[in-house]
Amino acid sequence: EAKLVVETPSAMSHKSSEWNSGLLSCCDDMSSCCYGFWCCPCLACTVAASFGENRCLPLCDICSPAAFSSFGIPLCVPPAGLSLRVGIRHMYGIKGSLCRDIATSCICVWCNWCQMHRELKIRNRDTSVVIKQPTPAVSK
């Protein structure tokens, strides 16, 4: 019986790598750029779903500041954007730090979502399917 194995070379390697596109490299993928510009919440939901999380997760970034501020607690770090960025960086061994992730998620929210969308498109495109045949048992 043959096994179907999906391998993602970039996710399997533990070597440190860089983001495939810069934070401000929107012109590298105009479709992601336009998607994010015209409907950033929709792009954010797409990124969450592409990463295997609940599609509605980015709604926390929209609802959380209002909910927390009603109790007098300022919230400037978008929780979904930050957690997905850290998750993507760790899954693919991308160099960086939590401090840089926080700054990126807070200062340029739209560029952050666009960069993550481009990264997942590139990484998901590199996925390959390998069919492995079982090894016959050797009897002596």
Side-chain angles (χ1 to χ4, degrees):
E1 169 181 325
K3 282 185 174 180
L4 181 65
V5 179
V6 178
E7 294 180 347
T8 309
S10 49
M12 302 307 264
S13 68
H14 295 286
K15 294 180 182 178
S16 292
S17 64
E18 300 290 333
W19 289 90
N20 282 298
S21 64
L23 186 63
L24 303 175
S25 300
C26 286
C27 293
D28 289 355
D29 180 5
M30 289 304 291
S31 64
S32 291
C33 180
C34 289
Y35 188 19
F37 180 77
W38 295 110
C39 191
C40 193
C42 298
L43 174 73
C45 292
T46 299
V47 169
S50 295
F51 191 60
E53 294 295 332
N54 187 310
R55 183 176 288 277
C56 297
L57 181 65
L59 298 179
C60 293
D61 289 354
I62 296 168
C63 300
S64 295
F68 277 93
S69 65
S70 66
F71 294 106
I73 303 169
L75 180 68
C76 63
V77 178
L82 175 60
S83 60
L84 285 170
R85 183 172 186 85
V86 171
I88 290 169
R89 195 169 55 73
H90 280 274
M91 175 178 267
Y92 296 113
I94 298 171
K95 293 178 190 174
S97 66
L98 185 55
C99 185
R100 181 177 281 170
D101 292 334
I102 291 170
T104 302
S105 298
C106 292
I107 295 169
C108 195
V109 176
W110 178 73
C111 294
N112 178 44
W113 286 111
C114 288
Q115 183 184 36
M116 291 190 294
H117 187 250
R118 289 189 305 271
E119 191 69 28
L120 290 174
K121 280 174 65 173
I122 292 168
R123 300 285 181 158
N124 289 338
R125 184 176 54 216
D126 290 343
T127 302
S128 60
V129 176
V130 178
I131 298 176
K132 292 187 176 183
Q133 295 295 330
T135 342
V138 178
S139 58
K140 292 186 176 184

